[in-house]
Amino acid sequence: MSNESQTMIEVEGLTKLYGDFIAVTNLNFSVKRGEIVGLLGPNGSGKTTTMRILTGYMPPSEGIVKIAGYDVLSHSLSARAKIGYLPETVPLYQDMEVEEYLSFMGAMRGMNNNKIKNRIDEVVDQVSIGHYLDTHIGKLSKGYKQRVGLAQAILHEPDVLILDEPTIGIDPIQVVETRQLIKEIGKDHTLLLSTHILPEVSALCERVLIIHEGNLVAEDTPENLGEKLRGSEKVQVDIDGPIADVTSFLRSLDGITGVRQTEMGEFVRYVIDARSGTSLLESLASMILQQGWKLLGLSSVSMSLEEIFLQLTSSDFEEERE
Amino acid sequence: MRNTFIIAKKESKAYFSSPMAYVIGAVFLALTGYMFVSSVSNPFPEATIRGWVVTSTFIFVLWSPVLTMRLLAEEQKLGTLELLMTSPVKDYEVVIGKYLATLLILIGTLFPTIWYVILLYWFGNPDLWPLLTSYLGLILFGGATLAIGLLASSLTSNQVLAAVMSFGLLLLLTLTNKAALVTVGLSATILEEISLTAHFDDFARGIVDIGNVTYYLSVIGIFVFSAIRSLESRRWR
Ligand SMILES: Nc1ncnc2c1ncn2[C@@H]1O[C@H](COP(=O)(O)OP(=O)(O)O)[C@@H](O)[C@H]1O
Ligand SMILES: [Mg+2]
């Protein structure tokens, strides 16, 4: 097995139940050495659960998880030794100084004092927290706390880096900086990161796993996913006519999958989701006029990444897949 | 083993670098000092430390819940427990490391009381043996109260709740002694046997009874073991 193609994270049939509640269902995926993979899904979709199982915090209910070849159940300590982990709530001792905290975490990972010293120098540079080594962690801003969390995760040069929503809860400027930092770190790590923000995976990841209600619903490169999703389009029409009639008429048209209306005073604005290839835009205007309603505007709307994501994880999309 | 010491070091360092450590140390010295002075300033003073040693057990019942409440509860609250439990460290190493730290803190807080012993030697002629057994008893008694606090702290992420739980249990285990006085027969024996305080008096008198030593070591063993199991069980929730 060559080094490049080595599988660093291997997940087979992973299922996790909390009591009777199924949080994650039969996940299958793998991450190769050097890859940067995003786990994308809305809140409550099972990202944290999955990561907690990968990192050995909790056991799977069913399935096999291997980190760098070590089973997280039967060879837990060896598997854990390979991982650098930044949990969703950044785990910091508020009354410790930054350097003290990093030393402690290094020691917990079995590093010797010399190694710890050298590595602290390096990572502190990498995440730019050199000025804060003697600062109590509790006094740092959220963005800087996040950096300390990242420093902790990469300190022992882990084979696999797992970051759970690394930009959640920090201010927008620091989000940009943190993403840049993660991008840098990703250059020489195998990285699995979770997020519920689509642009974040587009910006950082080579491959995306989309998780929804505990199921993997899609897996591809960010570019390809975008392509696939362009299979639908959105049209906005402003009409002066009886709302109920217009709505039911629009819904009855072939290829239309959804209609939302907003009253704008003089007229009503309808936003229509349609399958692409129906050339709706051309025929729609004349059809509306035929009904005797006033057409005040008609335009095509491009979907934002968030909308694409919503659509990907909506039940429509699942039906299409099946 | 190494990991246990790393955790013990971190934990005791955190304690001794906070001002609270010195406030508690001062209060402890003031209380025991007062008891010491009043026990040696009666018309027929004995050259013993029994006067403050018994008082110390009551101080431990109050202090141990406070000292131990944050041990694991705070880690849960901060989320740092997740990091400890995903580090290549065994769960029992974490728990035992924390326990050793509190034991170290207890011994560190007792240390200045050596001053009373020096005073006794200065002005009188005390027996060495009861002094030594008293300290042994204090460490065993304190160790038992700390183990109880440790378990309470492993059960919740709420420090106050942890303190209340361990204080409640400690109070119960010290009061069974008194309850034994008003009961007879088997129940009196049982109440006496499980009482934390009943097993202590001999130590203050210079008697090392193997049953008493076994009692405290068992309490320590049972509660530390339960704390380990409690932590392990978090993974399965
Ligand atoms: N310890 C737990 N006990 C019970 N249910 C849980 C627990 N942790 C998470 N869940 C539930 O499992 C689902 C997935 O949660 P989570 O993995 O945290 O999702 P995400 O990280 O994607 O937001 C959610 O419905 C959540 O409420
Ligand atoms: Mg989460």
Side-chain angles (χ1 to χ4, degrees):
Chain A
M1 202 193 281
S2 83
N3 225 23
E4 285 76 57
S5 66
Q6 200 181 343
T7 305
M8 297 310 284
I9 301 177
E10 216 178 324
V11 175
E12 257 180 63
L14 172 61
T15 297
K16 175 72 187 180
L17 293 100
Y18 293 113
D20 288 337
F21 178 77
I22 305 174
V24 159
T25 316
N26 194 23
L27 295 193
N28 293 287
F29 65 88
S30 62
V31 178
K32 292 201 168 58
R33 183 182 283 281
E35 267 192 304
I36 304 180
V37 176
L39 189 60
L40 177 67
N43 282 330
S45 55
K47 302 182 295 293
T48 299
T49 300
T50 305
M51 293 188 142
R52 284 182 162 170
I53 293 168
L54 296 190
T55 53
Y57 181 62
M58 49 165 80
S61 304
E62 266 168 59
I64 296 171
V65 176
K66 286 181 182 170
I67 303 291
Y70 294 106
D71 189 298
V72 291
L73 270 187
S74 59
H75 295 80
S76 182
L77 290 190
S78 311
R80 286 191 240 162
K82 300 284 178 196
I83 295 176
Y85 177 35
L86 180 60
E88 193 169 358
T89 44
V90 185
L92 302 168
Y93 299 101
Q94 306 296 326
D95 45 15
M96 259 187 167
E97 290 167 9
V98 171
E99 184 169 15
E100 207 182 348
Y101 170 73
L102 291 177
S103 304
F104 171 65
M105 286 318 301
M108 292 298 288
R109 268 70 169 268
M111 298 164 73
N112 67 36
N113 288 345
N114 258 339
K115 180 90 186 160
I116 289 174
K117 249 199 188 102
N118 294 338
R119 279 296 292 160
I120 286 181
D121 285 346
E122 286 170 24
V123 298
V124 151
D125 256 7
Q126 212 169 343
V127 305
S128 319
I129 49 171
H131 296 304
Y132 300 99
L133 278 181
D134 301 330
T135 308
H136 280 130
I137 292 174
K139 297 207 179 98
L140 296 175
S141 73
K142 277 191 175 161
Y144 273 90
K145 283 182 181 159
Q146 198 79 14
R147 287 167 190 233
V148 176
L150 276 172
Q152 161 280 128
I154 58 175
L155 186 68
H156 53 302
E157 302 178 278
D159 284 343
V160 176
L161 197 54
I162 294 182
L163 312 176
D164 195 358
E165 308 231 19
T167 60
I168 205 168
I170 51 183
D171 73 60
I173 298 167
Q174 292 187 319
V175 166
V176 175
E177 290 171 1
T178 308
R179 277 190 199 148
Q180 193 53 42
L181 187 58
I182 292 170
K183 200 161 192 161
E184 284 299 314
I185 291 170
K187 280 181 185 158
D188 39 34
H189 281 92
T190 305
L191 173 59
L192 179 67
L193 72 91
S194 77
T195 176
H196 65 274
I197 308 162
L198 191 78
E200 191 153 292
V201 280
S202 327
L204 295 173
C205 304
E206 299 158 357
R207 194 150 62 86
V208 194
L209 307 166
I210 295 187
I211 186 171
H212 181 57
E213 290 175 359
N215 296 284
L216 268 190
V217 294
E219 173 178 357
D220 215 326
T221 61
E223 296 78 24
N224 284 350
L225 277 178
E227 285 294 322
K228 275 188 199 162
L229 285 163
R230 256 158 251 142
S232 67
E233 58 186 286
K234 205 181 264 273
V235 179
Q236 178 185 307
V237 249
D238 297 339
I239 300 173
D240 184 0
I243 299 187
D245 291 353
V246 177
T247 311
S248 60
F249 169 73
L250 290 174
R251 282 191 201 280
S252 71
L253 292 179
D254 201 29
I256 290 188
T257 55
V259 177
R260 264 179 301 138
Q261 66 271 36
T262 332
E263 286 193 54
M264 310 291 284
E266 301 283 283
F267 60 89
V268 179
R269 173 164 291 169
Y270 300 86
V271 178
I272 302 166
D273 294 313
R275 286 202 190 92
S276 64
T278 44
S279 50
L280 191 68
L281 215 49
E282 291 104 274
S283 52
L284 195 61
S286 58
M287 284 195 290
I288 289 166
L289 292 172
Q290 267 168 25
Q291 299 291 319
W293 301 321
K294 267 187 231 159
L295 178 62
L296 301 169
L298 174 63
S299 58
S300 168
V301 188
S302 67
M303 274 199 267
S304 76
L305 291 166
E306 262 73 14
E307 286 171 308
I308 293 175
F309 172 50
L310 264 179
Q311 186 174 351
L312 247 186
T313 52
S314 75
S315 20
D316 277 2
F317 184 74
E318 276 165 45
E319 279 161 22
E320 269 175 42
R321 275 165 49 92
E322 277 155 18
Chain B
M1 216 47 196
R2 178 176 177 265
N3 296 324
T4 306
F5 286 126
I6 293 165
I7 291 185
K9 190 178 131 197
K10 178 225 146 210
E11 212 56 56
S12 42
K13 201 170 144 193
Y15 178 79
F16 285 115
S17 61
S18 85
M20 208 53 207
Y22 301 93
V23 173
I24 287 173
V27 170
F28 183 76
L29 270 187
L31 289 174
T32 52
Y34 173 76
M35 293 313 294
F36 174 67
V37 170
S38 57
S39 74
V40 294
S41 49
N42 62 52
F44 306 101
E46 288 177 74
T48 70
I49 56 172
R50 215 181 303 161
W52 65 266
V53 161
V54 175
T55 311
S56 296
T57 60
F58 293 110
I59 299 177
F60 287 166
V61 168
L62 289 172
W63 180 42
S64 289
V66 180
L67 179 59
T68 51
M69 64 182 186
R70 48 175 294 281
L71 285 179
L72 290 159
E74 188 185 39
E75 300 264 9
Q76 289 171 54
K77 185 115 195 169
L78 292 176
T80 44
L81 191 66
E82 189 165 347
L83 215 48
L84 290 186
M85 292 177 80
T86 54
S87 293
V89 176
K90 299 191 179 89
D91 293 352
Y92 70 77
E93 294 177 316
V94 173
V95 176
I96 293 174
K98 299 236 166 206
Y99 180 68
L100 285 183
T102 56
L103 214 50
L104 213 70
I105 291 165
L106 180 106
I107 293 169
T109 308
L110 276 176
F111 190 75
T113 63
I114 298 283
W115 176 238
Y116 307 144
V117 175
I118 294 171
L119 285 178
L120 283 182
Y121 273 100
W122 196 277
F123 293 109
N125 187 20
D127 288 336
L128 177 63
W129 183 246
L131 294 178
L132 292 179
T133 61
S134 292
Y135 276 103
L136 174 67
L138 279 181
I139 291 171
L140 285 172
F141 183 96
T145 60
L146 291 172
I148 289 170
L150 177 73
L151 174 63
S153 183
S154 76
L155 295 173
T156 170
S157 60
N158 182 335
Q159 296 190 34
V160 176
L161 185 61
V164 169
M165 282 195 289
S166 51
F167 179 66
L169 187 55
L170 285 173
L171 206 60
L172 209 68
L173 287 178
T174 46
L175 290 184
T176 54
N177 203 15
K178 304 273 182 285
L181 296 178
V182 296
T183 37
V184 283
L186 184 65
S187 57
T189 318
I190 293 174
L191 287 173
E192 184 90 18
E193 276 309 311
I194 63 168
S195 162
L196 271 175
T197 29
H199 293 270
F200 182 76
D201 293 337
D202 279 350
F203 287 100
R205 289 193 211 102
I207 303 164
V208 179
D209 179 88
I210 198 72
N212 292 334
V213 175
T214 312
Y215 167 80
Y216 286 120
L217 290 182
S218 312
V219 171
I220 292 171
I222 289 168
F223 281 90
V224 172
F225 179 75
S226 305
I228 294 170
R229 296 316 296 262
S230 151
L231 191 69
E232 281 170 353
S233 78
R234 309 221 130 242
R235 295 185 188 277
W236 297 91
R237 274 180 219 168

